[in-house]
Amino acid sequence: QVQLVESGGGLVQPGGSLRLSCAASGSISGFYRVGWYRQAPGKQRELVASIVILSGSSTTYADFVEGRFTISRDIAENTAYLQMSSLKPEDTAVYYCNSAHGALTPWGQGTQVTVSS
């Protein structure tokens, strides 16, 4: 089973940017749609954005994204990305990637994003 490993999180000031990476242990093309999810302390995990892998189109974004994030993928690199800008303190969470269509893979450890001055 292909595993997805997240990286790229960190501490950033409000208004800053980060790019998260989601690297597949095998071919990311085996996923129809991949999504970025996040879970803040005391809250349920929620879908942030998703993308159809083969076409690279048909993206979806949660309402709270408000045009600040961009999801993309590089099939040759077997990696999906989440470019985040204009970050807010309420974006602080652990970010995960997983399938966004059909069965989920086991959740990875995620990558912590902390937005704070």
mmCIF file of all heavy atoms in Angstrom, residues 36-40 43-48 64-65 68-69 84 87-88 90-96 107:
data_model
loop_
_atom_site.group_PDB
_atom_site.id
_atom_site.type_symbol
_atom_site.label_atom_id
_atom_site.label_comp_id
_atom_site.label_asym_id
_atom_site.label_seq_id
_atom_site.Cartn_x
_atom_site.Cartn_y
_atom_site.Cartn_z
ATOM 1 N N TRP A 36 -5.454 17.537 1.305
ATOM 2 C CA TRP A 36 -4.790 18.007 2.514
ATOM 3 C C TRP A 36 -5.869 18.214 3.569
ATOM 4 O O TRP A 36 -6.906 18.830 3.295
ATOM 5 C CB TRP A 36 -4.043 19.313 2.257
ATOM 6 C CG TRP A 36 -2.727 19.120 1.588
ATOM 7 C CD1 TRP A 36 -2.444 19.234 0.256
ATOM 8 C CD2 TRP A 36 -1.500 18.767 2.233
ATOM 9 N NE1 TRP A 36 -1.122 18.976 0.037
ATOM 10 C CE2 TRP A 36 -0.515 18.678 1.223
ATOM 11 C CE3 TRP A 36 -1.130 18.518 3.553
ATOM 12 C CZ2 TRP A 36 0.816 18.353 1.492
ATOM 13 C CZ3 TRP A 36 0.186 18.198 3.825
ATOM 14 C CH2 TRP A 36 1.139 18.114 2.814
ATOM 15 N N TYR A 37 -5.599 17.700 4.744
ATOM 16 C CA TYR A 37 -6.498 17.811 5.878
ATOM 17 C C TYR A 37 -5.746 18.512 7.007
ATOM 18 O O TYR A 37 -4.515 18.554 7.004
ATOM 19 C CB TYR A 37 -6.916 16.421 6.375
ATOM 20 C CG TYR A 37 -7.611 15.552 5.352
ATOM 21 C CD1 TYR A 37 -6.883 14.906 4.352
ATOM 22 C CD2 TYR A 37 -8.991 15.349 5.397
ATOM 23 C CE1 TYR A 37 -7.519 14.092 3.423
ATOM 24 C CE2 TYR A 37 -9.633 14.528 4.470
ATOM 25 C CZ TYR A 37 -8.880 13.901 3.492
ATOM 26 O OH TYR A 37 -9.510 13.094 2.571
ATOM 27 N N ARG A 38 -6.482 18.995 7.975
ATOM 28 C CA ARG A 38 -5.820 19.555 9.147
ATOM 29 C C ARG A 38 -6.648 19.267 10.393
ATOM 30 O O ARG A 38 -7.865 19.091 10.326
ATOM 31 C CB ARG A 38 -5.591 21.059 8.989
ATOM 32 C CG ARG A 38 -6.833 21.918 9.092
ATOM 33 C CD ARG A 38 -6.486 23.384 8.834
ATOM 34 N NE ARG A 38 -7.603 24.278 9.099
ATOM 35 C CZ ARG A 38 -7.584 25.589 8.872
ATOM 36 N NH1 ARG A 38 -6.488 26.160 8.350
ATOM 37 N NH2 ARG A 38 -8.635 26.322 9.149
ATOM 38 N N GLN A 39 -5.943 19.235 11.509
ATOM 39 C CA GLN A 39 -6.597 19.023 12.793
ATOM 40 C C GLN A 39 -5.968 19.938 13.821
ATOM 41 O O GLN A 39 -4.774 19.820 14.117
ATOM 42 C CB GLN A 39 -6.504 17.561 13.241
ATOM 43 C CG GLN A 39 -7.317 17.258 14.482
ATOM 44 C CD GLN A 39 -7.448 15.772 14.742
ATOM 45 O OE1 GLN A 39 -6.670 14.962 14.251
ATOM 46 N NE2 GLN A 39 -8.481 15.401 15.506
ATOM 47 N N ALA A 40 -6.773 20.836 14.328
ATOM 48 C CA ALA A 40 -6.334 21.741 15.387
ATOM 49 C C ALA A 40 -6.654 21.102 16.740
ATOM 50 O O ALA A 40 -7.539 20.244 16.835
ATOM 51 C CB ALA A 40 -7.044 23.080 15.251
ATOM 52 N N LYS A 43 -10.227 19.925 18.044
ATOM 53 C CA LYS A 43 -11.161 19.992 16.919
ATOM 54 C C LYS A 43 -11.056 18.740 16.061
ATOM 55 O O LYS A 43 -10.073 18.013 16.098
ATOM 56 C CB LYS A 43 -10.893 21.234 16.068
ATOM 57 C CG LYS A 43 -11.145 22.546 16.803
ATOM 58 C CD LYS A 43 -11.048 23.720 15.861
ATOM 59 C CE LYS A 43 -11.379 25.025 16.564
ATOM 60 N NZ LYS A 43 -11.314 26.192 15.627
ATOM 61 N N GLN A 44 -12.073 18.523 15.261
ATOM 62 C CA GLN A 44 -12.063 17.387 14.361
ATOM 63 C C GLN A 44 -11.195 17.677 13.140
ATOM 64 O O GLN A 44 -10.981 18.834 12.762
ATOM 65 C CB GLN A 44 -13.489 17.067 13.906
ATOM 66 C CG GLN A 44 -14.367 16.477 15.000
ATOM 67 C CD GLN A 44 -15.685 15.946 14.452
ATOM 68 O OE1 GLN A 44 -16.134 16.356 13.384
ATOM 69 N NE2 GLN A 44 -16.291 15.020 15.171
ATOM 70 N N ARG A 45 -10.687 16.618 12.562
ATOM 71 C CA ARG A 45 -9.908 16.755 11.326
ATOM 72 C C ARG A 45 -10.839 17.239 10.217
ATOM 73 O O ARG A 45 -11.968 16.777 10.097
ATOM 74 C CB ARG A 45 -9.295 15.417 10.957
ATOM 75 C CG ARG A 45 -8.250 15.470 9.873
ATOM 76 C CD ARG A 45 -7.544 14.123 9.776
ATOM 77 N NE ARG A 45 -6.773 13.840 10.987
ATOM 78 C CZ ARG A 45 -6.268 12.646 11.269
ATOM 79 N NH1 ARG A 45 -6.467 11.630 10.459
ATOM 80 N NH2 ARG A 45 -5.591 12.471 12.379
ATOM 81 N N GLU A 46 -10.349 18.166 9.411
ATOM 82 C CA GLU A 46 -11.171 18.712 8.337
ATOM 83 C C GLU A 46 -10.385 18.765 7.039
ATOM 84 O O GLU A 46 -9.170 18.910 7.031
ATOM 85 C CB GLU A 46 -11.658 20.125 8.716
ATOM 86 C CG GLU A 46 -10.567 21.132 9.008
ATOM 87 C CD GLU A 46 -11.086 22.459 9.520
ATOM 88 O OE1 GLU A 46 -12.317 22.689 9.498
ATOM 89 O OE2 GLU A 46 -10.258 23.289 9.946
ATOM 90 N N LEU A 47 -11.117 18.672 5.946
ATOM 91 C CA LEU A 47 -10.499 18.737 4.630
ATOM 92 C C LEU A 47 -10.216 20.186 4.280
ATOM 93 O O LEU A 47 -11.094 21.040 4.385
ATOM 94 C CB LEU A 47 -11.420 18.106 3.588
ATOM 95 C CG LEU A 47 -10.921 18.073 2.150
ATOM 96 C CD1 LEU A 47 -9.671 17.199 2.021
ATOM 97 C CD2 LEU A 47 -12.014 17.566 1.217
ATOM 98 N N VAL A 48 -8.994 20.435 3.845
ATOM 99 C CA VAL A 48 -8.572 21.784 3.483
ATOM 100 C C VAL A 48 -8.672 22.002 1.977
ATOM 101 O O VAL A 48 -9.211 22.996 1.514
ATOM 102 C CB VAL A 48 -7.124 22.037 3.936
ATOM 103 C CG1 VAL A 48 -6.639 23.406 3.490
ATOM 104 C CG2 VAL A 48 -7.000 21.872 5.454
ATOM 105 N N PHE A 64 -12.902 28.261 4.367
ATOM 106 C CA PHE A 64 -11.998 29.085 5.176
ATOM 107 C C PHE A 64 -10.681 29.387 4.459
ATOM 108 O O PHE A 64 -9.919 30.235 4.890
ATOM 109 C CB PHE A 64 -11.720 28.432 6.538
ATOM 110 C CG PHE A 64 -11.110 27.066 6.465
ATOM 111 C CD1 PHE A 64 -9.775 26.886 6.143
ATOM 112 C CD2 PHE A 64 -11.868 25.936 6.737
ATOM 113 C CE1 PHE A 64 -9.212 25.629 6.088
ATOM 114 C CE2 PHE A 64 -11.326 24.675 6.678
ATOM 115 C CZ PHE A 64 -9.988 24.514 6.350
ATOM 116 N N VAL A 65 -10.416 28.716 3.358
ATOM 117 C CA VAL A 65 -9.180 28.993 2.620
ATOM 118 C C VAL A 65 -9.225 30.397 2.010
ATOM 119 O O VAL A 65 -8.229 31.125 2.003
ATOM 120 C CB VAL A 65 -8.952 27.930 1.547
ATOM 121 C CG1 VAL A 65 -7.828 28.327 0.601
ATOM 122 C CG2 VAL A 65 -8.637 26.584 2.208
ATOM 123 N N ARG A 68 -6.359 31.742 -0.218
ATOM 124 C CA ARG A 68 -5.010 31.885 0.320
ATOM 125 C C ARG A 68 -4.107 30.686 0.033
ATOM 126 O O ARG A 68 -2.877 30.806 0.111
ATOM 127 C CB ARG A 68 -5.104 32.090 1.839
ATOM 128 C CG ARG A 68 -5.896 33.328 2.237
ATOM 129 C CD ARG A 68 -6.011 33.460 3.756
ATOM 130 N NE ARG A 68 -6.762 32.344 4.347
ATOM 131 C CZ ARG A 68 -6.281 31.573 5.324
ATOM 132 N NH1 ARG A 68 -5.077 31.804 5.828
ATOM 133 N NH2 ARG A 68 -7.015 30.585 5.806
ATOM 134 N N PHE A 69 -4.676 29.533 -0.236
ATOM 135 C CA PHE A 69 -3.903 28.304 -0.438
ATOM 136 C C PHE A 69 -4.049 27.823 -1.878
ATOM 137 O O PHE A 69 -5.081 28.050 -2.529
ATOM 138 C CB PHE A 69 -4.408 27.198 0.485
ATOM 139 C CG PHE A 69 -4.327 27.485 1.966
ATOM 140 C CD1 PHE A 69 -4.883 26.600 2.877
ATOM 141 C CD2 PHE A 69 -3.684 28.611 2.460
ATOM 142 C CE1 PHE A 69 -4.825 26.829 4.236
ATOM 143 C CE2 PHE A 69 -3.609 28.866 3.820
ATOM 144 C CZ PHE A 69 -4.194 27.974 4.706
ATOM 145 N N MET A 84 0.673 27.707 1.033
ATOM 146 C CA MET A 84 -0.175 28.492 1.929
ATOM 147 C C MET A 84 0.418 29.884 2.075
ATOM 148 O O MET A 84 1.615 30.029 2.335
ATOM 149 C CB MET A 84 -0.279 27.811 3.292
ATOM 150 C CG MET A 84 -0.768 26.373 3.235
ATOM 151 S SD MET A 84 -1.091 25.668 4.855
ATOM 152 C CE MET A 84 0.558 25.672 5.545
ATOM 153 N N LEU A 87 -1.090 33.478 6.018
ATOM 154 C CA LEU A 87 -1.473 32.581 7.107
ATOM 155 C C LEU A 87 -1.989 33.349 8.312
ATOM 156 O O LEU A 87 -1.513 34.450 8.613
ATOM 157 C CB LEU A 87 -0.293 31.694 7.490
ATOM 158 C CG LEU A 87 -0.034 30.547 6.500
ATOM 159 C CD1 LEU A 87 1.378 29.993 6.678
ATOM 160 C CD2 LEU A 87 -1.065 29.447 6.690
ATOM 161 N N LYS A 88 -2.947 32.733 8.987
ATOM 162 C CA LYS A 88 -3.581 33.315 10.154
ATOM 163 C C LYS A 88 -3.341 32.414 11.371
ATOM 164 O O LYS A 88 -3.132 31.212 11.207
ATOM 165 C CB LYS A 88 -5.090 33.437 9.922
ATOM 166 C CG LYS A 88 -5.489 34.180 8.663
ATOM 167 C CD LYS A 88 -6.999 34.130 8.468
ATOM 168 C CE LYS A 88 -7.423 34.827 7.196
ATOM 169 N NZ LYS A 88 -8.905 34.755 7.011
ATOM 170 N N GLU A 90 -5.413 31.123 13.211
ATOM 171 C CA GLU A 90 -6.392 30.033 13.203
ATOM 172 C C GLU A 90 -6.052 28.925 12.216
ATOM 173 O O GLU A 90 -6.723 27.900 12.173
ATOM 174 C CB GLU A 90 -7.804 30.564 12.923
ATOM 175 C CG GLU A 90 -7.912 31.471 11.723
ATOM 176 C CD GLU A 90 -7.841 32.948 12.087
ATOM 177 O OE1 GLU A 90 -6.979 33.337 12.923
ATOM 178 O OE2 GLU A 90 -8.634 33.730 11.519
ATOM 179 N N ASP A 91 -5.004 29.117 11.425
ATOM 180 C CA ASP A 91 -4.516 28.052 10.547
ATOM 181 C C ASP A 91 -3.591 27.090 11.298
ATOM 182 O O ASP A 91 -3.164 26.076 10.734
ATOM 183 C CB ASP A 91 -3.758 28.630 9.356
ATOM 184 C CG ASP A 91 -4.667 29.414 8.416
ATOM 185 O OD1 ASP A 91 -5.786 28.950 8.144
ATOM 186 O OD2 ASP A 91 -4.241 30.496 7.962
ATOM 187 N N THR A 92 -3.286 27.392 12.532
ATOM 188 C CA THR A 92 -2.431 26.524 13.333
ATOM 189 C C THR A 92 -3.089 25.160 13.513
ATOM 190 O O THR A 92 -4.228 25.054 13.964
ATOM 191 C CB THR A 92 -2.170 27.163 14.711
ATOM 192 O OG1 THR A 92 -1.414 28.364 14.522
ATOM 193 C CG2 THR A 92 -1.396 26.210 15.619
ATOM 194 N N ALA A 93 -2.369 24.118 13.129
ATOM 195 C CA ALA A 93 -2.903 22.757 13.162
ATOM 196 C C ALA A 93 -1.821 21.788 12.705
ATOM 197 O O ALA A 93 -0.776 22.208 12.193
ATOM 198 C CB ALA A 93 -4.124 22.634 12.246
ATOM 199 N N VAL A 94 -2.108 20.515 12.862
ATOM 200 C CA VAL A 94 -1.304 19.485 12.208
ATOM 201 C C VAL A 94 -1.960 19.213 10.857
ATOM 202 O O VAL A 94 -3.162 18.989 10.779
ATOM 203 C CB VAL A 94 -1.232 18.192 13.046
ATOM 204 C CG1 VAL A 94 -0.400 17.150 12.315
ATOM 205 C CG2 VAL A 94 -0.635 18.487 14.420
ATOM 206 N N TYR A 95 -1.148 19.273 9.818
ATOM 207 C CA TYR A 95 -1.641 19.077 8.461
ATOM 208 C C TYR A 95 -1.262 17.682 7.973
ATOM 209 O O TYR A 95 -0.116 17.255 8.122
ATOM 210 C CB TYR A 95 -1.076 20.150 7.537
ATOM 211 C CG TYR A 95 -1.749 21.483 7.724
ATOM 212 C CD1 TYR A 95 -1.523 22.242 8.866
ATOM 213 C CD2 TYR A 95 -2.619 22.000 6.761
ATOM 214 C CE1 TYR A 95 -2.167 23.462 9.055
ATOM 215 C CE2 TYR A 95 -3.254 23.221 6.936
ATOM 216 C CZ TYR A 95 -3.028 23.945 8.088
ATOM 217 O OH TYR A 95 -3.660 25.153 8.261
ATOM 218 N N TYR A 96 -2.227 17.021 7.377
ATOM 219 C CA TYR A 96 -2.063 15.667 6.877
ATOM 220 C C TYR A 96 -2.464 15.613 5.404
ATOM 221 O O TYR A 96 -3.272 16.418 4.946
ATOM 222 C CB TYR A 96 -2.973 14.682 7.623
ATOM 223 C CG TYR A 96 -2.822 14.640 9.111
ATOM 224 C CD1 TYR A 96 -3.511 15.525 9.937
ATOM 225 C CD2 TYR A 96 -2.011 13.681 9.715
ATOM 226 C CE1 TYR A 96 -3.390 15.481 11.307
ATOM 227 C CE2 TYR A 96 -1.885 13.616 11.097
ATOM 228 C CZ TYR A 96 -2.577 14.515 11.878
ATOM 229 O OH TYR A 96 -2.448 14.458 13.249
ATOM 230 N N TRP A 107 -3.234 7.052 8.371
ATOM 231 C CA TRP A 107 -2.788 8.424 8.557
ATOM 232 C C TRP A 107 -1.320 8.462 8.963
ATOM 233 O O TRP A 107 -0.870 7.665 9.777
ATOM 234 C CB TRP A 107 -3.627 9.116 9.624
ATOM 235 C CG TRP A 107 -5.040 9.337 9.209
ATOM 236 C CD1 TRP A 107 -6.120 8.576 9.514
ATOM 237 C CD2 TRP A 107 -5.521 10.393 8.374
ATOM 238 N NE1 TRP A 107 -7.251 9.090 8.929
ATOM 239 C CE2 TRP A 107 -6.916 10.214 8.220
ATOM 240 C CE3 TRP A 107 -4.925 11.483 7.737
ATOM 241 C CZ2 TRP A 107 -7.712 11.083 7.461
ATOM 242 C CZ3 TRP A 107 -5.716 12.344 6.987
ATOM 243 C CH2 TRP A 107 -7.091 12.142 6.852
#
